Amino acid sequence: MTTATRTETPTAPLPPAASAAIAKLEQVMPPLELVFTATRYQAATVHYRELAEQGDYEGCEYVRDEMTMCRCELAAAGRLDLIGVS
């Protein structure tokens, strides 16, 4: 019985231009956690408006807490731009 030898595919470092392109993309694209946080914030703003129209001001308080938490997370990451804040 013969056993196949496993051959590893050698990898080489990326060319400098490719490394620079990846670095540029990483700067532009926010981490997935921040995308989720921005989405939660945007959903909460819609829910807040609906609750306010219905006169459910207690519900508004809970939603405002969620919005504040999301805003703080985005501010800490320096990405308030994801929710339209300059």
Side-chain angles (χ1 to χ4, degrees), residues 36-52 59-75 80 83 85:
F36 289 147
T37 302
T39 302
R40 279 193 353 255
Y41 180 88
Q42 292 167 346
T45 59
V46 171
H47 193 201
Y48 181 83
R49 287 186 193 114
E50 292 169 351
L51 291 172
C60 286
E61 289 298 317
Y62 292 113
V63 175
R64 278 191 4 196
D65 287 345
E66 176 73 12
M67 292 169 64
T68 300
M69 182 182 68
C70 292
R71 188 179 174 109
C72 287
E73 288 178 27
L74 293 169
L80 286 174
I83 58 172
V85 177

Side-chain angles (χ1 to χ4, degrees), residues 3-41:
T3 58
T5 58
R6 185 174 174 190
T7 58
E8 298 291 329
T9 304
T11 58
L14 289 174
S19 294
I22 289 172
K24 186 176 180 181
L25 281 174
E26 287 175 343
Q27 290 176 350
V28 179
M29 296 176 62
L32 197 52
E33 303 87 35
L34 295 180
V35 173
F36 289 147
T37 302
T39 302
R40 279 193 353 255
Y41 180 88

